[in-house]
Amino acid sequence: MATYTLNINGTKQEVDVDPSTPMLWVLRDHLNLVGTKYGCGIAQCGACTIHLNGTATRACMLTVSSVGDQEITTIEGLSEEGDHPVQKAWLEVDVPQCGYCQAGQIMTASAFLEKNPNPTDEEIEMAMNGNICRCGTYTRIKKAVKLAAKS
Amino acid sequence: MTLVKTKIGRRAFIRNTGLASGGLVIGFSWLASCKMTPEQVNNLPKEWFDLNGFLKVGDNGMVTIMSPNPEIGQNVKTSMPMIVAEELDIAWKDVIVEQAPLNTDIFTRQLAGGSQSIRQGWESLRMAGATAKQMLKEAAAQAWNVSADEITTKDGVLTHEASGNSAGYGEMASAATSIEVPEEVQLKENGTFSIIGTDKKNVDGPKLVTGKPLFGLDVYKEGMLTAMIVHPPAFGMKYKGMNADTVKSMPGIKDVFHFEVYPEGIEKQWSDQGGIAELVAIVGNSTWECMQAKKALEVDWEQDSTAESTAYHEEELTALLEKPTETPARKDGDVNAAFAKAAKIVESTYSAPYLAHNTMEPMNFFAHVTPEKAELLGPIQTPEFTEKTVAARLGMPVEKIDIMMTRMGGGFGRRLYGPFVIEAAVISQKMNAPVKLVYSREDDMTQGTYRPSYKVKFKAGLDDEGNLIAWHVRGAGTNDDLIFENRFPAGAVDNYLAEKHSLQTNVTTGAWRAPRSNFIAGAEQAFIDEVAEAAGKDPLDFRLELFDRAINNPVGDPESNDYDPARYAGVLKLVKEKANWGTDTGKARGVAAYYCHNSYVAQVIELEDGGDIPRVDNIWCAVDCGIVINPLAAKNQIEGGMIDGIGHSTYSAMTFKDGKPEQSNFDTYRLIRHSEAPKNIEVYFVDNGIDPTGLGEPSLPPAIAALSNALYKATGRRYYKQPFINDKPPLVG
């Protein structure tokens, strides 16, 4: 076990965990930030996507010991009132079905749009390809990303 | 208006029975963290009045409507309360929706499955709203000393025009609780709805996009331990022994033990299907610590029955297709005589592999079992049945078992089967502590309860004018017999023979979104295309000809056919019009139609050019599900179902080597992704005012055939074996 001071959603958080613990489980089990979801544990589904210094990162393969003082943003910290343009677009298009993967989809989309504010359909698809939606809301996700890009 | 007796589910409408249990839900601390919007908090009433088990009215006119059925992403948590709100005459903005707990005294059929929630809930949900509205009217009538019949309602306001009296529901809510439940209530006529038929956004949307805890896996409680299971690595194996000592001393590990989920003699429900009799449990402080212990633990397993491989399943299914059945499932006319005189005969065999459900949220459940009671909370489609097995297994009366439902990260049939709930309960009882059981993705994918593997052989005979005169279908599946003998084209062809076989295997199977239809529709509707081509006819018109036959001169007793040929033809005609079928767009197109789960769906799929498996460019989809409650969400279901069908038939398979699943996570099990999804989807509904039917499943089955028929046009190859990505038949000609 070791103690880490993490910079999460703009707040310093201290945890005492095994160094090999992935951030996914640090967030969920130790910090009660459960918006970051467990889907596969091997960076194949994207349900656990967070921002590490603004870059979309899979929390399930990111060990707590490798984070240091880098800035972590989770879905809970994407906006204070749930009004990030991507979140608003998701509601406007009524994207979710079961909704389980959507936090990860939103985190990937929001990091992507920061870097590419006017993407083509193909660029959206390539950026989002690491996020699986088992319910098949892909066409609505694309619509929402385009809507968010416009705002 | 329609006057109806309130006898169906009448117990539900007796006052003050329901919301005692509603309070239980709120009492769970994890739900308290699901914050309401500031607006909702400001508007919260000081006092609630229960008018019946489905709803309560606040003193300020806000209404809480209980959503009785499990929410697995089919959006019943929005659409079912919409039906109540419609008959109650309340503005949708004044409605708060809560997930109802399991309470069979109040709610009928608290089950998510078979696309039946809306169809079977339709009447009782309407009555719940109408009954409460009538009680509010009676209360106002007494207060104003007028006749209740003269009072009108709109958006939560009662008005008596003649006397000039008017009051909000909140003002009459207290008085309404002492009004007798009416014997009869009036329901609105179709066409006069103000909420039903309008787009309403997902009530959980704001919580979903901000990552609020809604799912079973999000349950964390004071003193809670985490548990994981280790199951046999292969089907046909069972537990032999283990050395748990070294693992028990690992950091954070509380206990490691072998346990019987289903001891001899335990009474099982159908929802226990797929359950493994004996497992190993690892219990610890955190998920990661349990995962580490799971990796380190060595368990001995022994062979218990045959180690089956995919090659074995395929061989056995193929052999069954050569074997006539002793008693056909259905026989009209004489197929052999018809084949003997047929001008043309078409024969083909189609097959598909096992599939895993792969809900994005793996199986999990929270349990806190004490000698006094068992509290269970999590994602289950069949709480009523599961509760009975929990009671039997724990040796407690069913009254002491409380099951509460969380929102579910997908179901697709998987959460109809609740062995994981029993496992959580047994582990909690043994640990004497609150426990959340968590399956790893690998546990989830390799545990079983799969969509069966299927194979079917068709033979059709045409006369010299291209009329279908004979149809023979013989199908087989693992632990499942595949064929719906009374579905199309039964009733539309004079000589018809349907036969079905089931191959018993130890690889466990269960319902998977649109059971059996999810394969047979794709095969049948692809074969119809082959037959239409042999007949020299347009595939869509060929289908319409057959429906004409079933409408005008049905073969056999029309009552024996499962489908209504006029509604079937209706969706085909609608999709024909919307897709401009018959005009050359220069792109490959395929059509299919299917009826299942009481709804009718027809689709035209158009492909892009190029690629091994060209991507779907456009889909036109026509649906007849009767009255559409919430078009926005209905279209979402339909879009998702089609993408699900296209994705699984193109990419996905579970295969086995010596009983061991060869896929265990998304690196080896391929699911459709963004860049492979259809680019554009248009959905159209038949507007006929018929009582509503479900949408969770019906759009999936025909998509597979519309795709494979389009693939044939694009590539010149027929795709007989799923997943299509692996099917490389020789070029035709």
Side-chain angles (χ1 to χ4, degrees):
Chain A
M1 303 291 253
T3 305
Y4 298 92
T5 305
L6 301 163
N7 181 358
I8 298 170
N9 298 331
T11 310
K12 300 269 185 224
Q13 303 256 27
E14 198 165 280
V15 290
D16 185 24
V17 293
D18 184 273
S20 71
T21 312
M23 275 310 298
L24 168 66
W25 298 112
V26 173
L27 293 168
R28 293 185 59 83
D29 283 1
H30 301 277
L31 297 173
N32 201 28
L33 291 168
V34 299
T36 306
K37 300 300 190 212
Y38 168 62
C40 70
I42 57 167
Q44 291 290 314
C45 79
C48 67
T49 306
I50 57 170
H51 295 174
L52 184 69
N53 289 337
T55 301
T57 304
R58 310 291 181 236
C60 70
M61 299 281 280
L62 177 71
T63 57
V64 64
S65 60
S66 68
V67 172
D69 60 358
Q70 297 181 86
E71 282 177 25
I72 285 177
T73 307
T74 69
I75 185 73
E76 291 90 345
L78 186 63
S79 64
E80 277 189 22
E81 301 290 340
D83 54 359
H84 185 282
V86 173
Q87 289 168 315
K88 280 160 73 178
W90 243 250
L91 292 176
E92 180 56 32
V93 177
D94 203 42
V95 172
Q97 286 188 31
C98 88
Y100 190 79
C101 75
Q102 299 297 348
Q105 305 271 2
I106 288 169
M107 294 309 281
T108 300
S110 53
F112 165 66
L113 288 174
E114 277 295 322
K115 297 190 166 83
N116 186 351
N118 293 301
T120 63
D121 281 20
E122 288 68 31
E123 287 169 338
I124 294 172
E125 286 167 5
M126 292 325 288
M128 301 300 298
N129 246 5
N131 289 73
I132 294 172
C133 173
R134 175 66 183 81
C135 299
T137 62
Y138 294 128
T139 45
R140 289 195 182 208
I141 288 174
K142 193 158 70 181
K143 222 176 272 178
V145 174
K146 285 159 83 168
L147 181 65
K150 269 191 209 159
S151 50
Chain B
M1 296 213 204
T2 319
L3 205 59
V4 296
K5 299 270 185 207
T6 55
K7 65 179 183 353
I8 292 181
R10 193 172 155 79
R11 288 172 80 188
F13 305 135
I14 306 303
R15 287 182 309 276
N16 300 328
T17 53
L19 272 293
S21 43
L24 263 181
V25 180
I26 297 165
F28 266 79
S29 59
W30 74 278
L31 259 176
S33 62
C34 300
K35 291 196 189 88
M36 291 182 181
T37 63
E39 197 183 342
Q40 278 179 327
V41 173
N42 291 338
N43 291 338
L44 273 187
K46 291 182 190 71
E47 202 174 353
W48 287 107
F49 301 96
D50 306 347
L51 294 193
N52 58 49
F54 286 81
L55 64 95
K56 53 185 176 178
V57 179
D59 56 8
N60 67 349
M62 290 288 283
V63 174
T64 294
I65 300 180
M66 306 305 286
S67 181
N69 284 30
E71 173 61 66
I72 53 176
Q74 81 283 45
N75 207 37
V76 288
K77 196 173 171 185
T78 307
S79 53
M80 294 183 96
M82 281 174 72
I83 300 170
V84 179
E86 177 69 60
E87 292 290 350
L88 181 62
D89 259 344
I90 184 84
W92 185 244
K93 68 174 172 54
D94 295 329
V95 172
I96 297 170
V97 175
E98 274 181 25
Q99 177 67 57
L102 175 63
N103 190 334
T104 49
D105 283 344
I106 298 173
F107 306 109
T108 52
R109 196 181 183 278
Q110 283 185 284
L111 185 149
S115 299
Q116 295 299 306
S117 295
I118 292 293
R119 177 171 174 255
Q120 298 200 20
W122 175 240
E123 197 166 18
S124 59
L125 293 163
R126 294 180 81 190
M127 264 187 232
T131 306
K133 179 173 70 180
Q134 186 58 29
M135 290 159 73
L136 288 160
K137 277 187 179 182
E138 297 282 351
Q142 286 182 11
W144 300 334
N145 203 19
V146 298
S147 162
D149 295 343
E150 295 167 6
I151 294 174
T152 57
T153 53
K154 188 170 192 289
D155 289 348
V157 177
L158 298 138
T159 306
H160 186 256
E161 206 168 313
S163 64
N165 280 307
S166 173
Y169 282 0
E171 296 168 64
M172 293 297 163
S174 174
T177 59
S178 48
I179 299 290
E180 281 299 311
V181 178
E183 290 288 329
E184 288 180 333
V185 287
Q186 292 197 314
L187 300 180
K188 293 182 179 178
E189 290 292 347
N190 179 31
T192 65
F193 299 140
S194 57
I195 294 176
I196 288 172
T198 63
D199 287 347
K200 293 285 177 277
K201 288 175 181 160
N202 190 325
V203 293
D204 278 341
K207 291 172 187 165
L208 288 168
V209 304
T210 51
K212 298 290 185 293
L214 285 169
F215 299 95
L217 211 58
D218 300 341
V219 173
Y220 285 84
K221 283 166 164 284
E222 190 67 32
M224 184 188 91
L225 299 171
T226 298
M228 299 194 81
I229 51 118
V230 184
H231 67 63
F235 294 94
M237 297 193 100
K238 67 169 190 177
Y239 176 81
K240 188 178 177 192
M242 66 173 168
N243 183 353
D245 292 347
T246 52
V247 178
K248 277 183 184 170
S249 61
M250 285 177 71
I253 297 305
K254 296 283 186 188
D255 205 353
V256 179
F257 56 89
H258 155 258
F259 69 109
E260 287 185 288
V261 188
Y262 296 102
E264 284 273 325
I266 205 88
E267 192 187 340
K268 284 187 179 181
Q269 306 292 321
W270 68 268
S271 57
D272 293 298
Q273 189 174 319
I276 298 168
E278 296 173 74
L279 296 168
V280 171
I282 298 170
V283 188
N285 289 330
S286 73
T287 319
W288 183 246
E289 286 166 327
C290 288
M291 284 179 165
Q292 298 305 101
K294 199 160 139 54
K295 271 183 230 160
L297 181 66
E298 286 178 17
V299 184
D300 292 329
W301 310 96
E302 62 187 348
Q303 205 67 39
D304 188 34
S305 58
T306 317
E308 298 172 3
S309 297
T310 294
Y312 163 82
H313 297 138
E314 288 185 358
E315 281 163 23
E316 292 294 311
L317 291 176
T318 303
L320 281 176
L321 292 191
E322 298 308 313
K323 212 170 112 185
T325 54
E326 279 175 27
T327 315
R330 175 162 169 168
K331 184 175 182 292
D332 297 325
D334 182 344
V335 285
N336 289 330
F339 286 134
K341 64 176 189 192
K344 273 187 187 170
I345 285 179
V346 187
E347 269 184 287
S348 286
T349 302
Y350 294 79
S351 67
Y354 284 92
L355 295 175
H357 293 84
N358 288 332
T359 59
M360 287 311 289
E361 179 196 20
M363 297 307 112
N364 67 85
F365 226 82
F366 171 83
H368 189 188
V369 179
T370 64
E372 290 74 40
K373 63 176 178 174
E375 283 183 333
L376 296 134
L377 173 64
I380 182 73
Q381 288 175 246
T382 50
E384 185 180 347
F385 298 95
T386 303
E387 186 179 61
K388 290 178 183 154
T389 310
V390 171
R393 178 61 183 85
L394 297 180
M396 292 168 81
V398 78
E399 296 75 35
K400 292 191 170 181
I401 317 292
D402 270 331
I403 295 195
M404 275 153 284
M405 293 167 277
T406 54
R407 187 178 183 89
M408 289 174 235
F412 315 108
R414 176 63 187 87
R415 289 185 163 103
L416 290 167
Y417 309 105
F420 55 92
V421 185
I422 321 302
E423 293 158 19
V426 174
I427 295 169
S428 172
Q429 191 178 44
K430 166 98 164 55
M431 297 302 294
N432 194 23
V435 166
K436 180 171 66 180
L437 171 68
V438 179
Y439 277 24
S440 70
R441 172 58 58 197
E442 290 80 4
D443 295 335
D444 192 280
M445 201 181 289
T446 60
Q447 170 275 335
T449 329
Y450 301 120
R451 195 286 296 270
S453 178
Y454 292 121
K455 200 156 197 173
V456 63
K457 191 161 92 171
F458 295 101
K459 184 175 180 183
L462 294 161
D463 66 15
D464 50 15
E465 288 172 4
N467 296 308
L468 181 65
I469 57 168
W471 180 279
H472 178 199
V473 56
R474 186 183 290 155
T478 51
N479 302 330
D480 192 9
D481 59 15
L482 180 61
I483 302 297
F484 296 99
E485 60 271 17
N486 293 317
R487 285 193 183 168
F488 179 80
V493 52
D494 286 317
N495 304 289
Y496 175 92
L497 179 64
E499 299 177 282
K500 50 190 184 183
H501 290 290
S502 175
L503 171 68
Q504 289 307 302
T505 85
N506 59 19
V507 176
T508 58
T509 55
W512 191 103
R513 195 177 195 176
R516 294 190 274 169
S517 303
N518 60 41
F519 170 67
I520 195 65
E524 168 213 296
Q525 286 288 301
F527 184 65
I528 282 270
D529 252 48
E530 292 193 66
V531 178
E533 187 180 45
K537 294 178 181 173
D538 174 84
L540 200 155
D541 292 338
F542 184 69
R543 287 168 170 84
L544 288 176
E545 258 179 41
L546 291 169
F547 290 126
D548 275 348
R549 170 71 203 270
I551 293 166
N552 299 321
N553 183 20
V555 179
D557 175 8
E559 293 298 311
S560 70
N561 298 331
D562 285 346
Y563 62 95
D564 175 341
R567 293 181 77 182
Y568 227 137
V571 288
L572 261 175
K573 286 174 184 166
L574 183 60
V575 86
K576 182 179 182 179
E577 174 204 326
K578 297 296 180 187
N580 283 316
W581 181 262
T583 53
D584 186 3
T585 59
K587 290 180 177 171
R589 284 180 155 199
V591 65
Y594 204 66
Y595 161 82
C596 65
H597 302 91
N598 311 101
S599 295
Y600 299 79
V601 180
Q603 292 151 4
V604 169
I605 282 183
E606 185 172 83
L607 303 177
E608 286 191 323
D609 293 334
D612 247 10
I613 294 282
R615 182 171 174 189
V616 175
D617 196 355
N618 296 298
I619 306 180
W620 294 266
C621 180
V623 179
D624 180 355
C625 60
I627 294 165
V628 181
I629 309 300
N630 183 358
L632 181 68
K635 286 178 185 170
N636 207 348
Q637 279 304 296
I638 291 160
E639 291 160 9
M642 292 190 290
I643 292 172
D644 199 355
I646 289 166
H648 280 91
S649 61
T650 306
Y651 301 112
S652 309
M654 281 300 300
T655 58
F656 306 91
K657 183 89 174 74
D658 299 330
K660 191 174 188 313
E662 293 184 294
Q663 295 76 24
S664 61
N665 207 324
F666 299 128
D667 52 348
T668 45
Y669 190 103
R670 187 168 170 190
L671 288 171
I672 190 168
R673 289 177 184 267
H674 281 272
S675 65
E676 296 152 346
K679 287 190 162 176
N680 304 294
I681 299 174
E682 293 176 23
V683 178
Y684 301 93
F685 295 102
V686 174
D687 182 10
N688 56 16
I690 295 172
D691 283 356
T693 51
L695 284 176
E697 294 161 286
S699 76
L700 184 151
I704 298 170
L707 172 66
S708 73
N709 292 335
L711 285 172
Y712 170 66
K713 291 288 181 190
T715 65
R717 302 170 183 173
R718 292 279 176 194
Y719 285 73
Y720 293 111
K721 190 175 180 185
Q722 296 177 29
F724 298 144
I725 194 87
N726 295 339
D727 188 6
K728 306 263 200 275
L731 280 168
V732 173

